[in-house]
Amino acid sequence: MAFDIEMIKSVYAKMASRVDKAREIVGKPLTLSEKILYSHLWDGTPAKAFVRGKDYVDFAPDRIACQDATAQMALLQFMQAGKSKVAVPTTVHCDHLIQAKSGAVADLKVANSTSAEVFDFLESVSNKYGIGFWKPGAGIIHQVVLENYAFPGGMMIGTDSHTVNAGGLGMVAIGVGGADAVDVMAGMAWELKFPKLIGVKLTGNISGWTSAKDVILKVAGILTVKGGTGAIVEYFGEGAKNLSCTGKGTICNMGAEIGATTSTFGYDASMERYLRATDRNDIADAANKVKEHLTADAEVYENPELYFDQLIEINLDELRPHLNGPFTPDLATPVGELGPKAKANGWPIQVDWGLIGSCTNSSYEDLTRAASIAKQAVDKGIKPKSDFGINPGSEQIRYTAERDGLLQVFENVGATIFTNACGPCIGQWDRSDLKGDEKNTIVHSFNRNFSKRADGNPNTHAFVGSPEMVAAIAISGRLDFDPMNDTLINEDGEEVRLDEPMGIELPPQGFAVEDAGYLEPDEDGSSVEVKVSTTSERLQLLEPFEPIKPAQLQGVKLLIKAFGKCTTDHISMAGPWLRFRGHLDNIANNTLIGAVNAFNKKTNFVKNQLTGEYGGVPDTQRAYKAAGLKSIVIGDHNYGEGSSREHAAMQPRHLGVAAVLVKSFARIHETNLKKQGMLGLTFANENDYDLIQEDDTFNLVDIADFTPGKPLTLEVVHSDGSIDTIIANHTYNASQIGWFNEGSALNVIKRENAA
Ligand code: MIC
Ligand code: SF4
């Protein structure tokens, strides 16, 4: 039986009338995305048509999911909001804080002891506020959500950018910062700019070596890491119907890598099969009754160019498997064409590791497809040339895969089965085969491959592919291996070929699990005590941020002018720093240490304008703070791409950065800056980026007149006394300016709740 079935039924009960009303108001047939958005308005029945990409709209999401690394900050903030229970069904999943080293049993034991304080905090705070708690080892948040909570036509938010995975089950599921989640937990509306809509029509059928992963690898190549910004990507067409539900999840999941607000698919037979296989006949039956509202109106898919802002068509019959990378998930190359590219760029051809897992590709089907390749290595006498690591997506998948002999297949090729957790995908990987920062190549089925992400080594070249392609490449040990055309030499010196992968969509004997790892919260948690030790180095209660006053915005120092890609991994690195996610002052010591200084191309080496000396970014910033000075960060395009982690905004805020001025922002990060009462600004003229010098001081001359829709003027005072006056755009609406004026969105909630 499904969790929260009454809530789901009530969403469905209101759906028909709201969708009909929306169709009437919009005046034309509706996409699925619009149906879900318009049926989740905070004000209930739709009363006006919204302008895509322009209007801010208040929504009422059905549920919230948080993972351990972001939940700490989200719940520390929620504790300040003055509520006794969360207002909508919420869950916390412990998956990011578990290191992959020797294998699941030992690694989980270590995590349970080294992170006991954090897990205990999350468990008790969940219990207190009515939040469902998934213990370490239960699985990766997005697989667990897909298996248990996602439902067609629903809307959810989650404090992780890959919350979008639930689009595979026909949801509008959106990644947000913790402060956004706090709004909804506290019973308030959740605000989002009404997204634009990108349609992706899938014709033909996936077959052979091509998989669902290749659809999104291809889309990433087309749209690039910022092409989906501000948009929902809606997939449809015959090719979509023929994909499994978890395959759809993979495509939606990695939609985070093109900056899309989310991605989704209309309800179909694959979703019904998945719901029934995961013990949710009740949802499938309820969804079947409102089927027509859980997909777009027929006219939309017949003439998509009339209804979407942008349309992409992919013929799956012609789609080839891809490997994307290194260092960015949108550098797409068809398998078989990597040899010359690697040679020209100096990417090591030899592959050291093949890693299968991550929230995007750790389903039962993924494991069966990869296992069908691994099995051939043994059957055909080929000794794999690379090491293998596997992270199953959930305990239910792991248990079932063990029962069905899949894990044994991987063990037979020497694979290490890591915990059902993020592991190497988030730098939680104790990689013993490297001595230092050697140049090397790995392939994985994850979705992110930014510099240093998996193992902290800037010289690890990571390529993203489907689990079965990762298995094939790992067996061959070569980045330029093309299993469709190349042969391998086995241990008897014979030439052998790998046959096409064979997947099993859902376990024929059904899913099974002994202990899924779920803890239901107490009905009344009022007596539960949440303990945070004042001497803890991992958890720290929050102090409200002071508003930044106009006078403080004169004489603002340049902290760093970031060069090129500056993702949240560059702003607040994960891996070893994940341990401080609940302690703002400690984690602030990693602020922007991965960003490249435009003036010397070094990381964590910036000029302190007070002393003229060079030092680390956090130290330099602490020096400005001690001197009572505010600072500004300058950045390039798509600043803050990647994660939802609000630490990337809270840390600079805590250290005294007042403004971030960039060519463009990634959506979640821009909102996170606003929520924390900072200024997130964009250059009106991109070329003004080039005017910024190392010794610059900034005056935000008209900040006292901070108004929606009105650009701000900045004086950039150079060291020779000359001044450039530049214009900065912003997207703050009136209530967001209120957050800035009061110091943070949380300060506003606290004041309102106290009143
Ligand atoms: C990621 O994949 O980068 C993460 C780690 O899951 C993040 C969340 C975090 O930083 O905790 C995300 O994608 O939002
Ligand atoms: Fe975890 Fe990686 Fe998925 Fe992020 S992308 S939730 S780190 S598995």
Side-chain angles (χ1 to χ4, degrees), residues 67 69-70 96 142 159-162 422 425-426 447-448 453 568-569 574 578 581 642-645 647 668:
Q67 42 87 341
T70 51
H96 281 62
H142 312 301
T159 59
D160 188 284
S161 63
H162 295 107
C422 303
C425 180
I426 191 54
N447 37 35
R448 293 204 170 137
R453 183 166 167 108
T568 47
D569 281 342
L578 283 175
R581 281 290 184 88
S643 163
S644 68
R645 63 191 76 144
H647 303 75
I668 307 178

PDB file of all heavy atoms in Angstrom, residues 67 69-70 96 142 159-162 422 425-426 447-448 453 568-569 574 578 581 642-645 647 668, ligand 1:
ATOM      1  N   GLN A  67      17.567  15.159   1.778  1.00  0.00           N
ATOM      2  CA  GLN A  67      18.621  14.162   2.063  1.00  0.00           C
ATOM      3  C   GLN A  67      19.524  14.683   3.178  1.00  0.00           C
ATOM      4  O   GLN A  67      19.540  15.880   3.452  1.00  0.00           O
ATOM      5  CB  GLN A  67      19.376  13.784   0.787  1.00  0.00           C
ATOM      6  CG  GLN A  67      19.723  14.931  -0.168  1.00  0.00           C
ATOM      7  CD  GLN A  67      21.008  15.626   0.132  1.00  0.00           C
ATOM      8  OE1 GLN A  67      21.512  15.520   1.234  1.00  0.00           O
ATOM      9  NE2 GLN A  67      21.511  16.370  -0.833  1.00  0.00           N
ATOM     10  N   ALA A  69      22.577  15.496   3.697  1.00  0.00           N
ATOM     11  CA  ALA A  69      23.545  16.589   3.581  1.00  0.00           C
ATOM     12  C   ALA A  69      22.871  17.960   3.490  1.00  0.00           C
ATOM     13  O   ALA A  69      23.470  18.969   3.842  1.00  0.00           O
ATOM     14  CB  ALA A  69      24.454  16.370   2.372  1.00  0.00           C
ATOM     15  N   THR A  70      21.637  18.001   3.004  1.00  0.00           N
ATOM     16  CA  THR A  70      20.931  19.285   2.948  1.00  0.00           C
ATOM     17  C   THR A  70      19.883  19.406   4.054  1.00  0.00           C
ATOM     18  O   THR A  70      19.534  20.511   4.455  1.00  0.00           O
ATOM     19  CB  THR A  70      20.222  19.473   1.583  1.00  0.00           C
ATOM     20  OG1 THR A  70      19.447  18.307   1.331  1.00  0.00           O
ATOM     21  CG2 THR A  70      21.204  19.693   0.459  1.00  0.00           C
ATOM     22  N   HIS A  96      23.964  10.571   1.671  1.00  0.00           N
ATOM     23  CA  HIS A  96      25.163  11.264   1.189  1.00  0.00           C
ATOM     24  C   HIS A  96      26.381  11.081   2.093  1.00  0.00           C
ATOM     25  O   HIS A  96      27.496  11.311   1.662  1.00  0.00           O
ATOM     26  CB  HIS A  96      24.893  12.771   1.067  1.00  0.00           C
ATOM     27  CG  HIS A  96      24.122  13.157  -0.159  1.00  0.00           C
ATOM     28  ND1 HIS A  96      22.846  12.712  -0.402  1.00  0.00           N
ATOM     29  CD2 HIS A  96      24.444  13.954  -1.212  1.00  0.00           C
ATOM     30  CE1 HIS A  96      22.420  13.227  -1.555  1.00  0.00           C
ATOM     31  NE2 HIS A  96      23.370  13.978  -2.057  1.00  0.00           N
ATOM     32  N   HIS A 142      16.396   9.602  -4.296  1.00  0.00           N
ATOM     33  CA  HIS A 142      15.506   9.664  -5.466  1.00  0.00           C
ATOM     34  C   HIS A 142      14.987   8.299  -5.903  1.00  0.00           C
ATOM     35  O   HIS A 142      13.909   8.194  -6.461  1.00  0.00           O
ATOM     36  CB  HIS A 142      16.194  10.416  -6.602  1.00  0.00           C
ATOM     37  CG  HIS A 142      16.785  11.702  -6.130  1.00  0.00           C
ATOM     38  ND1 HIS A 142      16.013  12.690  -5.553  1.00  0.00           N
ATOM     39  CD2 HIS A 142      18.063  12.137  -6.069  1.00  0.00           C
ATOM     40  CE1 HIS A 142      16.803  13.689  -5.180  1.00  0.00           C
ATOM     41  NE2 HIS A 142      18.048  13.373  -5.474  1.00  0.00           N
ATOM     42  N   THR A 159      15.099  18.964  -1.309  1.00  0.00           N
ATOM     43  CA  THR A 159      16.330  19.732  -1.126  1.00  0.00           C
ATOM     44  C   THR A 159      17.493  18.992  -1.765  1.00  0.00           C
ATOM     45  O   THR A 159      18.473  18.643  -1.106  1.00  0.00           O
ATOM     46  CB  THR A 159      16.623  20.005   0.357  1.00  0.00           C
ATOM     47  OG1 THR A 159      16.748  18.747   1.029  1.00  0.00           O
ATOM     48  CG2 THR A 159      15.537  20.827   0.990  1.00  0.00           C
ATOM     49  N   ASP A 160      17.371  18.767  -3.031  1.00  0.00           N
ATOM     50  CA  ASP A 160      18.427  18.139  -3.814  1.00  0.00           C
ATOM     51  C   ASP A 160      18.052  18.350  -5.272  1.00  0.00           C
ATOM     52  O   ASP A 160      16.889  18.193  -5.653  1.00  0.00           O
ATOM     53  CB  ASP A 160      18.497  16.639  -3.507  1.00  0.00           C
ATOM     54  CG  ASP A 160      19.715  16.005  -4.159  1.00  0.00           C
ATOM     55  OD1 ASP A 160      19.682  15.787  -5.384  1.00  0.00           O
ATOM     56  OD2 ASP A 160      20.700  15.757  -3.444  1.00  0.00           O
ATOM     57  N   SER A 161      19.025  18.713  -6.077  1.00  0.00           N
ATOM     58  CA  SER A 161      18.693  19.077  -7.459  1.00  0.00           C
ATOM     59  C   SER A 161      18.127  17.901  -8.255  1.00  0.00           C
ATOM     60  O   SER A 161      17.405  18.100  -9.222  1.00  0.00           O
ATOM     61  CB  SER A 161      19.922  19.645  -8.162  1.00  0.00           C
ATOM     62  OG  SER A 161      20.920  18.668  -8.231  1.00  0.00           O
ATOM     63  N   HIS A 162      18.442  16.678  -7.854  1.00  0.00           N
ATOM     64  CA  HIS A 162      17.942  15.522  -8.619  1.00  0.00           C
ATOM     65  C   HIS A 162      16.574  15.015  -8.163  1.00  0.00           C
ATOM     66  O   HIS A 162      16.136  13.936  -8.586  1.00  0.00           O
ATOM     67  CB  HIS A 162      18.990  14.412  -8.644  1.00  0.00           C
ATOM     68  CG  HIS A 162      20.213  14.860  -9.393  1.00  0.00           C
ATOM     69  ND1 HIS A 162      21.383  15.158  -8.760  1.00  0.00           N
ATOM     70  CD2 HIS A 162      20.399  15.140 -10.699  1.00  0.00           C
ATOM     71  CE1 HIS A 162      22.266  15.588  -9.655  1.00  0.00           C
ATOM     72  NE2 HIS A 162      21.691  15.584 -10.839  1.00  0.00           N
ATOM     73  N   CYS A 422      24.933   7.368  -2.099  1.00  0.00           N
ATOM     74  CA  CYS A 422      25.543   8.146  -3.180  1.00  0.00           C
ATOM     75  C   CYS A 422      27.002   7.752  -3.428  1.00  0.00           C
ATOM     76  O   CYS A 422      27.449   7.664  -4.558  1.00  0.00           O
ATOM     77  CB  CYS A 422      25.501   9.629  -2.828  1.00  0.00           C
ATOM     78  SG  CYS A 422      23.842  10.242  -2.489  1.00  0.00           S
ATOM     79  N   CYS A 425      29.678   9.134  -6.180  1.00  0.00           N
ATOM     80  CA  CYS A 425      29.000  10.189  -6.942  1.00  0.00           C
ATOM     81  C   CYS A 425      29.154  11.540  -6.252  1.00  0.00           C
ATOM     82  O   CYS A 425      29.090  12.578  -6.905  1.00  0.00           O
ATOM     83  CB  CYS A 425      27.525   9.847  -7.127  1.00  0.00           C
ATOM     84  SG  CYS A 425      26.643  11.105  -8.042  1.00  0.00           S
ATOM     85  N   ILE A 426      29.341  11.520  -4.938  1.00  0.00           N
ATOM     86  CA  ILE A 426      29.470  12.811  -4.252  1.00  0.00           C
ATOM     87  C   ILE A 426      30.814  12.922  -3.517  1.00  0.00           C
ATOM     88  O   ILE A 426      30.944  13.578  -2.494  1.00  0.00           O
ATOM     89  CB  ILE A 426      28.240  13.087  -3.356  1.00  0.00           C
ATOM     90  CG1 ILE A 426      28.230  14.528  -2.847  1.00  0.00           C
ATOM     91  CG2 ILE A 426      28.099  12.079  -2.225  1.00  0.00           C
ATOM     92  CD1 ILE A 426      28.333  15.556  -3.934  1.00  0.00           C
ATOM     93  N   ASN A 447      25.630  11.374 -12.937  1.00  0.00           N
ATOM     94  CA  ASN A 447      25.199  12.430 -13.846  1.00  0.00           C
ATOM     95  C   ASN A 447      26.105  13.643 -13.804  1.00  0.00           C
ATOM     96  O   ASN A 447      26.031  14.505 -14.654  1.00  0.00           O
ATOM     97  CB  ASN A 447      23.747  12.834 -13.593  1.00  0.00           C
ATOM     98  CG  ASN A 447      23.437  12.790 -12.124  1.00  0.00           C
ATOM     99  OD1 ASN A 447      24.298  13.096 -11.329  1.00  0.00           O
ATOM    100  ND2 ASN A 447      22.225  12.404 -11.778  1.00  0.00           N
ATOM    101  N   ARG A 448      26.953  13.713 -12.790  1.00  0.00           N
ATOM    102  CA  ARG A 448      27.856  14.871 -12.698  1.00  0.00           C
ATOM    103  C   ARG A 448      29.294  14.413 -12.793  1.00  0.00           C
ATOM    104  O   ARG A 448      29.661  13.407 -12.192  1.00  0.00           O
ATOM    105  CB  ARG A 448      27.648  15.594 -11.376  1.00  0.00           C
ATOM    106  CG  ARG A 448      26.293  16.209 -11.347  1.00  0.00           C
ATOM    107  CD  ARG A 448      26.180  17.365 -10.409  1.00  0.00           C
ATOM    108  NE  ARG A 448      24.897  17.970 -10.692  1.00  0.00           N
ATOM    109  CZ  ARG A 448      24.057  18.388  -9.753  1.00  0.00           C
ATOM    110  NH1 ARG A 448      24.382  18.302  -8.482  1.00  0.00           N
ATOM    111  NH2 ARG A 448      22.915  18.923 -10.101  1.00  0.00           N
ATOM    112  N   ARG A 453      35.058  15.924  -8.475  1.00  0.00           N
ATOM    113  CA  ARG A 453      33.821  15.514  -7.823  1.00  0.00           C
ATOM    114  C   ARG A 453      33.884  14.116  -7.198  1.00  0.00           C
ATOM    115  O   ARG A 453      33.470  13.922  -6.060  1.00  0.00           O
ATOM    116  CB  ARG A 453      32.654  15.575  -8.801  1.00  0.00           C
ATOM    117  CG  ARG A 453      31.351  15.208  -8.107  1.00  0.00           C
ATOM    118  CD  ARG A 453      30.149  15.574  -8.908  1.00  0.00           C
ATOM    119  NE  ARG A 453      28.987  14.941  -8.369  1.00  0.00           N
ATOM    120  CZ  ARG A 453      28.011  15.547  -7.698  1.00  0.00           C
ATOM    121  NH1 ARG A 453      28.079  16.835  -7.476  1.00  0.00           N
ATOM    122  NH2 ARG A 453      26.982  14.889  -7.242  1.00  0.00           N
ATOM    123  N   THR A 568      28.297  24.801  -7.840  1.00  0.00           N
ATOM    124  CA  THR A 568      28.215  24.747  -6.376  1.00  0.00           C
ATOM    125  C   THR A 568      29.330  23.874  -5.811  1.00  0.00           C
ATOM    126  O   THR A 568      29.718  24.048  -4.658  1.00  0.00           O
ATOM    127  CB  THR A 568      26.849  24.192  -5.934  1.00  0.00           C
ATOM    128  OG1 THR A 568      26.567  23.036  -6.708  1.00  0.00           O
ATOM    129  CG2 THR A 568      25.753  25.219  -6.120  1.00  0.00           C
ATOM    130  N   ASP A 569      29.847  22.938  -6.611  1.00  0.00           N
ATOM    131  CA  ASP A 569      30.995  22.159  -6.136  1.00  0.00           C
ATOM    132  C   ASP A 569      32.236  23.047  -5.981  1.00  0.00           C
ATOM    133  O   ASP A 569      33.089  22.799  -5.144  1.00  0.00           O
ATOM    134  CB  ASP A 569      31.309  20.989  -7.084  1.00  0.00           C
ATOM    135  CG  ASP A 569      30.372  19.789  -6.871  1.00  0.00           C
ATOM    136  OD1 ASP A 569      29.738  19.717  -5.811  1.00  0.00           O
ATOM    137  OD2 ASP A 569      30.275  18.935  -7.773  1.00  0.00           O
ATOM    138  N   ALA A 574      31.909  19.314  -1.897  1.00  0.00           N
ATOM    139  CA  ALA A 574      31.299  18.226  -1.124  1.00  0.00           C
ATOM    140  C   ALA A 574      32.404  17.314  -0.589  1.00  0.00           C
ATOM    141  O   ALA A 574      33.294  17.796   0.098  1.00  0.00           O
ATOM    142  CB  ALA A 574      30.312  17.483  -2.002  1.00  0.00           C
ATOM    143  N   LEU A 578      31.483  17.367   3.391  1.00  0.00           N
ATOM    144  CA  LEU A 578      30.093  17.030   3.709  1.00  0.00           C
ATOM    145  C   LEU A 578      29.897  16.905   5.218  1.00  0.00           C
ATOM    146  O   LEU A 578      28.817  17.110   5.738  1.00  0.00           O
ATOM    147  CB  LEU A 578      29.702  15.704   3.046  1.00  0.00           C
ATOM    148  CG  LEU A 578      29.394  15.749   1.545  1.00  0.00           C
ATOM    149  CD1 LEU A 578      29.151  14.350   1.026  1.00  0.00           C
ATOM    150  CD2 LEU A 578      28.186  16.621   1.267  1.00  0.00           C
ATOM    151  N   ARG A 581      28.215  19.905   6.994  1.00  0.00           N
ATOM    152  CA  ARG A 581      27.016  20.498   6.418  1.00  0.00           C
ATOM    153  C   ARG A 581      26.028  21.055   7.465  1.00  0.00           C
ATOM    154  O   ARG A 581      25.148  21.822   7.141  1.00  0.00           O
ATOM    155  CB  ARG A 581      26.290  19.474   5.548  1.00  0.00           C
ATOM    156  CG  ARG A 581      26.904  19.271   4.165  1.00  0.00           C
ATOM    157  CD  ARG A 581      26.670  20.485   3.311  1.00  0.00           C
ATOM    158  NE  ARG A 581      27.162  20.304   1.954  1.00  0.00           N
ATOM    159  CZ  ARG A 581      26.455  19.780   0.966  1.00  0.00           C
ATOM    160  NH1 ARG A 581      25.240  19.338   1.183  1.00  0.00           N
ATOM    161  NH2 ARG A 581      26.974  19.684  -0.229  1.00  0.00           N
ATOM    162  N   GLY A 642      24.524  23.163 -10.798  1.00  0.00           N
ATOM    163  CA  GLY A 642      24.715  21.898 -10.091  1.00  0.00           C
ATOM    164  C   GLY A 642      23.765  21.736  -8.941  1.00  0.00           C
ATOM    165  O   GLY A 642      22.550  21.774  -9.114  1.00  0.00           O
ATOM    166  N   SER A 643      24.341  21.629  -7.784  1.00  0.00           N
ATOM    167  CA  SER A 643      23.597  21.238  -6.597  1.00  0.00           C
ATOM    168  C   SER A 643      22.593  22.286  -6.109  1.00  0.00           C
ATOM    169  O   SER A 643      22.698  23.468  -6.407  1.00  0.00           O
ATOM    170  CB  SER A 643      24.612  20.987  -5.492  1.00  0.00           C
ATOM    171  OG  SER A 643      23.994  20.984  -4.248  1.00  0.00           O
ATOM    172  N   SER A 644      21.681  21.800  -5.260  1.00  0.00           N
ATOM    173  CA  SER A 644      20.732  22.686  -4.598  1.00  0.00           C
ATOM    174  C   SER A 644      21.298  23.239  -3.295  1.00  0.00           C
ATOM    175  O   SER A 644      20.659  24.040  -2.638  1.00  0.00           O
ATOM    176  CB  SER A 644      19.468  21.899  -4.266  1.00  0.00           C
ATOM    177  OG  SER A 644      19.771  20.938  -3.268  1.00  0.00           O
ATOM    178  N   ARG A 645      22.487  22.797  -2.919  1.00  0.00           N
ATOM    179  CA  ARG A 645      22.997  23.114  -1.570  1.00  0.00           C
ATOM    180  C   ARG A 645      22.985  24.621  -1.307  1.00  0.00           C
ATOM    181  O   ARG A 645      23.639  25.392  -1.994  1.00  0.00           O
ATOM    182  CB  ARG A 645      24.393  22.515  -1.358  1.00  0.00           C
ATOM    183  CG  ARG A 645      25.467  23.035  -2.267  1.00  0.00           C
ATOM    184  CD  ARG A 645      26.754  22.205  -2.183  1.00  0.00           C
ATOM    185  NE  ARG A 645      26.593  20.957  -2.904  1.00  0.00           N
ATOM    186  CZ  ARG A 645      27.548  20.352  -3.610  1.00  0.00           C
ATOM    187  NH1 ARG A 645      28.770  20.839  -3.653  1.00  0.00           N
ATOM    188  NH2 ARG A 645      27.325  19.220  -4.247  1.00  0.00           N
ATOM    189  N   HIS A 647      24.203  25.943   1.169  1.00  0.00           N
ATOM    190  CA  HIS A 647      25.472  26.327   1.782  1.00  0.00           C
ATOM    191  C   HIS A 647      26.243  27.271   0.869  1.00  0.00           C
ATOM    192  O   HIS A 647      26.954  28.150   1.330  1.00  0.00           O
ATOM    193  CB  HIS A 647      26.305  25.082   2.068  1.00  0.00           C
ATOM    194  CG  HIS A 647      25.589  24.107   2.937  1.00  0.00           C
ATOM    195  ND1 HIS A 647      24.564  23.316   2.466  1.00  0.00           N
ATOM    196  CD2 HIS A 647      25.723  23.812   4.249  1.00  0.00           C
ATOM    197  CE1 HIS A 647      24.110  22.574   3.449  1.00  0.00           C
ATOM    198  NE2 HIS A 647      24.790  22.857   4.549  1.00  0.00           N
ATOM    199  N   ILE A 668      18.411  27.457  -9.022  1.00  0.00           N
ATOM    200  CA  ILE A 668      18.289  27.204  -7.578  1.00  0.00           C
ATOM    201  C   ILE A 668      19.234  28.112  -6.805  1.00  0.00           C
ATOM    202  O   ILE A 668      18.881  28.664  -5.768  1.00  0.00           O
ATOM    203  CB  ILE A 668      18.570  25.727  -7.222  1.00  0.00           C
ATOM    204  CG1 ILE A 668      17.709  24.779  -8.073  1.00  0.00           C
ATOM    205  CG2 ILE A 668      18.330  25.479  -5.740  1.00  0.00           C
ATOM    206  CD1 ILE A 668      17.975  23.295  -7.807  1.00  0.00           C
TER     207      ILE A 668
HETATM  208  C1  MIC B   1      24.721  16.554  -5.848  1.00  0.00           C
HETATM  209  O1  MIC B   1      24.447  15.641  -6.613  1.00  0.00           O
HETATM  210  O2  MIC B   1      25.500  17.480  -6.138  1.00  0.00           O
HETATM  211  C2  MIC B   1      24.078  16.567  -4.484  1.00  0.00           C
HETATM  212  C3  MIC B   1      25.125  16.318  -3.492  1.00  0.00           C
HETATM  213  O3  MIC B   1      23.134  15.533  -4.390  1.00  0.00           O
HETATM  214  C4  MIC B   1      23.426  17.927  -4.296  1.00  0.00           C
HETATM  215  C5  MIC B   1      22.896  18.177  -2.956  1.00  0.00           C
HETATM  216  C6  MIC B   1      23.941  18.521  -1.936  1.00  0.00           C
HETATM  217  O4  MIC B   1      24.866  19.263  -2.236  1.00  0.00           O
HETATM  218  O5  MIC B   1      23.803  18.051  -0.811  1.00  0.00           O
HETATM  219  C7  MIC B   1      22.334  18.252  -5.297  1.00  0.00           C
HETATM  220  O6  MIC B   1      22.353  17.732  -6.393  1.00  0.00           O
HETATM  221  O7  MIC B   1      21.478  19.096  -5.008  1.00  0.00           O
END
